[in-house]
Every structure is written in structure tokens, then in C-alpha cells.
């Protein structure tokens, strides 16, 4: 997102936080998410409406009134308030408005998980599903195949996660698979993990190792990374015996590869050179 849209997105998050605070019931957050997803889907399906609601050259109150006339009787007051605030804001493009509504829906599901004291669990479930997809390119391709009906992709997803994850995680993944705006399930999960961490004022470190890491080691690693990056770090671990030893740590776009396999490859490269 360009500057105007980034500022609008931050403002929208503040509006949403004022509409559904931490004391709201989990069901309120879940309903809000469903309805924001639905409004975003409407804008995806209706290009003319999307352009009209996302046009900063028109009257902001008029855009909000149009949205209210279209969906006001179909969604709850919280969803209408958040969506109306969104269409009144200035976005760099109409697509940024649509993406912001989807992001607000994601954030509402994180709010539901937080209300149920499940946010850490949801974050862990997303990370572990991300690892499954990274190890199975064929499965990732099936979930990303846009020539297949979205409902079929969701059915495939449900076969994999049914009864194994929280409802919030399931809803986040179903939307990531079915939304026309999320072209890659892996990129969608990456964004969700960052969003979950940001909600708790921290960053996620994805740590892959050849052998299990003890809790004490995770605590020490989190402290070292926290000092290095100047913010709290949450550790998510996964195993990959092919590393042979050492760790691969990824925080956002940065990768610290301290694996033995990487050192061997570097040694081979230097010998060839």
C-alpha cells in the first residue's frame, strides 16, 4: 500500500478498536469478521461500486450513505460503522479499500481469539500449517489454483484441518483460500502471522532446526533477538532434519541462516570459486 492507504489503514484499525473493544464478546468479533468479509466480497464482485466507494474525488459522506443504503439492513451496526468509516477515508486505489476491509475482518477474528485467550494458539496453528505447505508444493498448488471453484478449495482445506485447529484459525484459513484478493496461501499466512504479532506489539521469529529446541533455549533466543531488533520477539519452532544442525531464523523479510547445511553449501561454493 502507498502512503495514503497505509495511513487510512491505521486510522481504520483505531475505528474498529473503538467499535468493538476488548470487553466485547468473542461472538461479536466473529460476526463483525463475517460481515466485513462479505462487504469486501461485494466490492470485488462489483467493479463499478468498488470504484465509486473508493473514489476520493467524490463526497465522503455520500459514499458512506451509498454503502448504508446497500448493506445497512443486512449487517450489524458495528460492521456498518467500520465499513462506513473505511469508505469515507482516502485510499490510494479502490482495491486498497477492499483489501483494508478484508484485513479488518482478519483482525476481528484475532480479536475473537484474544477474547477466548487463544491468540497464541491461533498464531502457532497458522505457523504449523505454513510449515506443512512449505513442505508440500503439490498441496500448496491445489489450494492456490484459481481455476478451481473456491468452495472446492475450502472443502480440501477442511479435510486437512477439521477438528485440528481453533475456529478462528479455520475461518482465517478458509478466507485466505477463498478470497480473490489473496493470490497465494503462503503469502496470506505470512501476513496473518505478522498481523497477529503486531496485535501483541511484537514480531514473530520462525525458527527451523534440525533437532528440537528446549524451552530454555527458546527463551534465550527470544531475548537475544529482542535485544537485536529492539522489540519483543515471539518464537515459533519447526523441525527440518535436512539442516543437519544449527538454526534458520526468519523475522519478516530477514533470514539468519546458521544451519550446518548452509555452511557446507558455502564451503562448496568457495572451493568451486
Amino acid at each position: 500500500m502507498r502512503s495514503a492507504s497505509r495511513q487510512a489503514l491505521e486510522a481504520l484499525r483505531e475505528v474498529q478498536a473503538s467499535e468493538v473493544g476488548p470487553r466485547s464478546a468473542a461472538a461479536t468479533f466473529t460476526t463483525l469478521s463475517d460481515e466485513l468479509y462479505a462487504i469486501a466480497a461485494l466490492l470485488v464482485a462489483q467493479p463499478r461500486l468498488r470504484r465509486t466507494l473508493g473514489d476520493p474525488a467524490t463526497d465522503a459522506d455520500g459514499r458512506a450513505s451509498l454503502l448504508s443504503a446497500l448493506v445497512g439492513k443486512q449487517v450489524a451496526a458495528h460492521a456498518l460503522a467500520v465499513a462506513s468509516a473505511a469508505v469515507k477515508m482516502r485510499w490510494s486505489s479502490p482495491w486498497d479499500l477492499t483489501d483494508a476491509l478484508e484485513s479488518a475482518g482478519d483482525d476481528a477474528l484475532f480479536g475473537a481469539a484474544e477474547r477466548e485467550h487463544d491468540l497464541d494458539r491461533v498464531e502457532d496453528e497458522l505457523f504449523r500449517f505454513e510449515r506443512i505447505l512449505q513442505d508440500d508444493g503439490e498441496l500448496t498448488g491445489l489450494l492456490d489454483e484459481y481455476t478451481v471453484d473456491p468452495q472446492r478449495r475450502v472443502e480440501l482445506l477442511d479435510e486437512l484441518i477439521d477438528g485440528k485447529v481453533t475456529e478462528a484459525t479455520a475461518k482465517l484459513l478458509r478466507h485466505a483460500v477463498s478470497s480473490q484478493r489473496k493470490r497465494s496461501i503462503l503469502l496470506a499466512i505470512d501476513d496473518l502471522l505478522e498481523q497477529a504479532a503486531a496485535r501483541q506489539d511484537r514480531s514473530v521469529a520462525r525458527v527451523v532446526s534440525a533437532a528440537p529446541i528446549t524451552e530454555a533455549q527458546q527463551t534465550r533466543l527470544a531475548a537475544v533477538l529482542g535485544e537485536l531488533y529492539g522489540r519483543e520477539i515471539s518464537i515459533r519452532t519447526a523441525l527440518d532434519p535436512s539442516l543437519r544442525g544449527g538454526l534458520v531464523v526468519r523475522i519478516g523479510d530477514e533470514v539468519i541462516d546458521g544451519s550446518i547445511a548452509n555452511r557446507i553449501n558455502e564451503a562448496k561454493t568457495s572451493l568451486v570459486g
Side-chain angles (χ1 to χ4, degrees), residues 154-174:
V154 170
E155 289 171 359
L156 171 60
L157 173 70
D158 283 342
E159 291 177 9
L160 299 168
I161 66 175
D162 186 38
K164 300 176 183 177
V165 299
T166 62
E167 184 59 23
T169 301
K171 281 180 171 288
L172 287 164
L173 290 174
R174 287 177 191 135

Side-chain angles (χ1 to χ4, degrees), residues 203-258:
S203 295
V204 175
R206 298 166 179 81
V207 180
V208 183
S209 59
I213 304 175
T214 67
E215 285 192 18
Q217 290 172 323
Q218 291 183 46
T219 299
R220 288 198 297 272
L221 180 59
V224 170
L225 292 173
E227 184 174 349
L228 179 64
Y229 285 90
R231 57 184 181 272
E232 185 178 349
I233 302 292
S234 172
I235 303 293
R236 294 290 178 237
T237 64
L239 296 178
D240 183 354
S242 69
L243 296 181
R244 301 188 183 183
L247 303 172
V248 176
V249 180
R250 182 162 72 91
I251 301 177
D253 295 330
E254 296 187 44
V255 177
I256 304 171
D257 192 338

Side-chain angles (χ1 to χ4, degrees), residues 131-143:
R131 288 294 304 163
I132 290 172
L133 295 178
Q134 288 172 338
D135 292 337
D136 192 334
E138 182 178 358
L139 173 59
T140 303
L142 290 172
L143 292 175

Side-chain angles (χ1 to χ4, degrees), residues 28-234:
T28 300
F29 285 99
T30 301
T31 299
L32 174 61
S33 173
D34 290 341
E35 292 177 344
L36 290 175
Y37 284 161
I39 294 171
L42 175 65
L43 299 192
V44 171
Q46 301 290 333
R48 185 175 179 181
L49 176 62
R50 180 178 65 248
R51 290 192 294 268
T52 299
L53 294 179
D55 184 359
T58 60
D59 178 65
D61 290 330
R63 298 196 300 268
S65 295
L66 173 59
L67 178 70
S68 180
L70 291 171
V71 304
K73 295 182 179 180
Q74 302 171 42
V75 300
H78 289 316
L80 182 60
V82 173
S84 295
V87 301
K88 291 172 72 173
M89 293 174 181
R90 184 180 184 87
W91 303 92
S92 300
S93 78
W95 278 123
D96 285 354
L97 165 62
T98 304
D99 293 343
L101 289 171
E102 291 204 342
S103 179
D106 294 336
D107 196 59
L109 283 174
F110 286 126
E114 194 171 53
R115 196 72 183 90
E116 297 288 345
H117 307 290
D118 278 340
L119 188 53
D120 280 342
R121 181 179 173 185
V122 168
E123 192 177 317
D124 190 63
E125 289 170 347
L126 289 171
F127 172 70
R128 299 205 176 280
F129 193 67
E130 179 185 53
R131 288 294 304 163
I132 290 172
L133 295 178
Q134 288 172 338
D135 292 337
D136 192 334
E138 182 178 358
L139 173 59
T140 303
L142 290 172
L143 292 175
D144 279 342
E145 183 51 72
Y146 274 79
T147 61
V148 176
D149 181 75
Q151 185 56 40
R152 294 290 301 275
R153 299 198 301 271
V154 170
E155 289 171 359
L156 171 60
L157 173 70
D158 283 342
E159 291 177 9
L160 299 168
I161 66 175
D162 186 38
K164 300 176 183 177
V165 299
T166 62
E167 184 59 23
T169 301
K171 281 180 171 288
L172 287 164
L173 290 174
R174 287 177 191 135
H175 184 253
V177 166
S178 61
S179 170
Q180 294 185 43
R181 295 299 297 158
K182 300 183 187 297
R183 296 296 182 180
S184 162
I185 181 64
L186 280 172
L187 289 177
I189 292 175
D190 189 64
D191 288 343
L192 289 171
L193 285 167
E194 293 300 325
Q195 195 170 346
R199 190 178 180 90
Q200 302 177 80
D201 297 319
R202 55 184 172 77
S203 295
V204 175
R206 298 166 179 81
V207 180
V208 183
S209 59
I213 304 175
T214 67
E215 285 192 18
Q217 290 172 323
Q218 291 183 46
T219 299
R220 288 198 297 272
L221 180 59
V224 170
L225 292 173
E227 184 174 349
L228 179 64
Y229 285 90
R231 57 184 181 272
E232 185 178 349
I233 302 292
S234 172

